[in-house]
Amino acid sequence: MASRKSSRADAEVVDAEVTTSDASVDDGAGLEPVTAEAQIPTPEPSGTPDVAVPSATGAGPKAPLDITQMKVEKSCSRGLAAWLAGNRLSLAISSYQTGRVYLVGSDKSGRVSFFERIFERAMGIVGNAQRLYLGGLYQLWRFENVLRSNEVIHGQFDKCYVPRNAQTIGDLDIHELGIRKNGKVVFVNTKYSCLAELSMTHSFKVIWKPDFISKLAPEDRCHLNGLAMVDGEPKYVTAVCKSDAVDGWRDRRKDGGVVIDIDSNEIVCEGLSMPHSPRWANGKLWLLNAGTGQLGWVDFENKAFVPLTFLPGFARGLSIIGNMAAVGLSKPRNQRFEGLQLDQELTRRDVEPWCGVQIVSLANGDVQHWIRFDGDITEIFDLCFLPNVRHPMMVGLRTPEIRDLITFETELQQEAIA
């Protein structure tokens, strides 16, 4: 499906099923109550390119130094808009290679809306209708939705995520995130091979490390990367191998991958190829065996991975709602990703690798819907479903809204009523 490009690096909507809105207009707060008669105006697309960001690691294709000038084309399956609207869902997607956060929802004209913001090296992303957390190059960002349930902004968006806190943690190569039941955020500190929380004083507070890691050091020894939360607490992590030496994981990419139960420190699954994104859902531990391009689940009794389906790309980023899973796909990089079974599978199936998202039925492995990114973007890092969010936007750092959108809470009205 052809897509239309937005006039800024912010929002886009795709024709018929997709649509691009120019949501950066400075029209004040723009808060309006939602009424039965309220109509969302159709945004007027224009022809200026959108965006994407170069890899912070230097890997991948060369890109313009000005990340705001990178070009990204978006397309999606025909049924995606109706599916998102019918389930009152949106998606938050991060791409560290392009420094982009995409909020994908549906507008009242029946189109898929892509809202885009720039946050350098956007990595792990997790959240809900009220709050989002995002790992960046050297900060962990917290965004809060400032709209009430009966409000919209700019005449169309039902959620407006504003960056309320950016805690400086340094370049920890922060990977996946989780929100504990006490509200604290926990994150995979890949550089130091541990799980961590924020500290009021320091870069991080260690809460767990694998038994095989003998020392906390900035050496990315095992490439700890994925985190599964169970009942509001961190429970399982994935690592590319059990190496206890600097950068040792690169020589174990084919079959050294493990899943670890952090309560018992037991290896509950092994022999994996670059595993990522473990998620507990429907009584199973699902994960992505990225080096083989497979989505599947863990057989705890045999400590083995049971594949459900093949996906055409380096699979990283997984979110599950009900019996549907959204999986992020990236184009394999040279050197770091080459020589994996994934390359052989792509050749055998005569398919080119994707950069995008595929929404898969966990009942049979069929792809129900998809989003595809083309152009200067080649990698997706993480994603999460946002339940009860239909058409979200995010305030960025490069528009007047970061200064002009001011909201507050007060007890004065309550006192007046009393």
Side-chain angles (χ1 to χ4, degrees):
M1 177 184 298
S3 64
R4 299 188 299 191
K5 298 173 183 176
S6 66
S7 60
R8 292 184 178 88
D10 326 311
E12 181 168 347
V13 201
V14 184
D15 267 336
E17 295 293 341
V18 198
T19 184
T20 297
S21 59
D22 182 1
S24 293
V25 215
D26 179 17
D27 58 356
L31 299 182
E32 302 169 9
V34 175
T35 66
E37 297 79 22
Q39 297 294 320
I40 293 180
T42 302
E44 291 296 329
S46 64
T48 319
D50 330 11
V51 276
V53 160
S55 168
T57 62
K62 291 184 179 179
L65 292 178
D66 184 353
I67 60 178
T68 65
Q69 298 304 309
M70 299 177 71
K71 298 178 181 179
V72 177
E73 298 176 359
K74 311 167 185 74
S75 56
C76 67
S77 56
R78 286 191 174 274
L80 181 61
W83 185 79
L84 289 172
N87 290 282
R88 196 167 180 81
L89 286 175
S90 293
L91 268 172
I93 306 169
S94 67
S95 168
Y96 73 93
Q97 177 252 347
T98 62
R100 287 302 185 279
V101 174
Y102 293 100
L103 299 182
V104 183
S106 57
D107 72 2
K108 286 192 175 179
S109 297
R111 301 173 299 177
V112 175
S113 170
F114 289 82
F115 197 95
E116 177 177 345
R117 288 301 188 207
I118 300 173
F119 288 90
E120 191 174 5
R121 197 171 169 80
M123 296 278 280
I125 191 165
V126 66
N128 50 46
Q130 183 56 36
R131 177 175 298 165
L132 288 175
Y133 284 101
L134 171 72
L137 177 59
Y138 56 88
Q139 292 167 312
L140 200 157
W141 295 86
R142 175 175 60 84
F143 302 82
E144 295 288 339
N145 167 52
V146 299
L147 302 184
R148 300 180 182 91
S149 59
N150 66 335
E151 289 179 333
V152 295
I153 189 169
H154 298 308
Q156 55 186 321
F157 300 103
D158 66 337
K159 302 294 177 185
C160 177
Y161 294 100
V162 178
R164 290 303 187 203
N165 180 269
Q167 183 147 338
T168 301
I169 57 176
D171 184 0
L172 303 178
D173 197 16
I174 185 172
H175 273 54
E176 292 192 340
L177 316 171
I179 302 175
R180 306 183 81 159
K181 59 186 176 184
N182 63 7
K184 290 185 177 181
V185 63
V186 58
F187 58 92
V188 180
N189 182 340
T190 301
K191 181 175 282 188
Y192 283 83
S193 308
C194 68
L195 284 185
E197 287 183 344
L198 295 175
S199 166
M200 289 295 292
T201 306
H202 304 287
S203 295
F204 61 93
K205 174 185 175 182
V206 180
I207 62 172
W208 177 87
K209 72 172 181 62
D211 277 351
F212 54 79
I213 296 295
S214 59
K215 177 186 177 183
L216 289 172
E219 298 177 350
D220 188 7
R221 296 182 174 190
C222 62
H223 204 64
L224 198 70
N225 56 47
L227 171 63
M229 305 289 288
V230 178
D231 298 328
E233 295 296 340
K235 177 62 175 174
Y236 301 102
V237 294
T238 49
V240 172
C241 71
K242 297 185 290 182
S243 169
D244 191 31
V246 58
D247 210 33
W249 62 274
R250 296 188 194 277
D251 298 324
R252 301 289 185 270
R253 295 171 302 141
K254 289 185 179 180
D255 57 6
V258 294
V259 180
I260 309 167
D261 182 328
I262 70 171
D263 292 332
S264 64
N265 284 294
E266 178 187 3
I267 304 257
V268 297
C269 188
E270 52 193 350
L272 300 166
S273 179
M274 299 195 74
H276 281 78
S277 308
R279 303 288 186 264
W280 182 263
N282 306 321
K284 287 183 177 180
L285 181 62
W286 300 86
L287 72 142
L288 303 172
N289 202 27
T292 64
Q294 293 170 319
L295 163 66
W297 50 277
V298 172
D299 176 353
F300 287 100
E301 184 175 350
N302 295 303
K303 296 187 176 183
F305 174 75
V306 181
L308 172 70
T309 191
F310 174 80
L311 299 164
F314 188 84
R316 181 177 52 196
L318 173 64
S319 186
I320 297 173
I321 191 161
N323 212 29
M324 301 292 282
V327 181
L329 296 175
S330 300
K331 296 180 180 180
R333 279 184 247 154
N334 292 331
Q335 296 179 338
R336 191 166 298 183
F337 295 161
E338 69 184 2
L340 301 174
Q341 184 180 331
L342 171 61
D343 285 343
Q344 301 169 21
E345 282 296 314
L346 291 169
T347 300
R348 186 177 72 83
R349 295 168 185 266
D350 193 23
V351 63
E352 292 296 317
W354 275 47
C355 175
V357 176
Q358 294 190 350
I359 298 174
V360 180
S361 167
L362 295 181
N364 55 23
D366 290 350
V367 176
Q368 304 292 318
H369 304 286
W370 51 265
I371 299 167
R372 190 159 184 162
F373 296 99
D374 293 292
D376 291 330
I377 184 172
T378 59
E379 296 187 28
I380 298 299
F381 184 79
D382 200 7
L383 50 77
C384 67
F385 279 120
L386 301 175
N388 301 313
V389 178
R390 178 158 183 168
H391 195 188
M393 67 162 284
M394 176 181 285
V395 171
L397 307 178
R398 293 166 168 81
T399 65
E401 280 178 319
I402 195 70
R403 303 188 305 269
D404 299 337
L405 179 58
I406 299 172
T407 62
F408 60 90
E409 57 180 291
T410 178
E411 296 181 357
L412 294 179
Q413 290 180 338
Q414 297 175 1
E415 292 171 0
I417 292 173

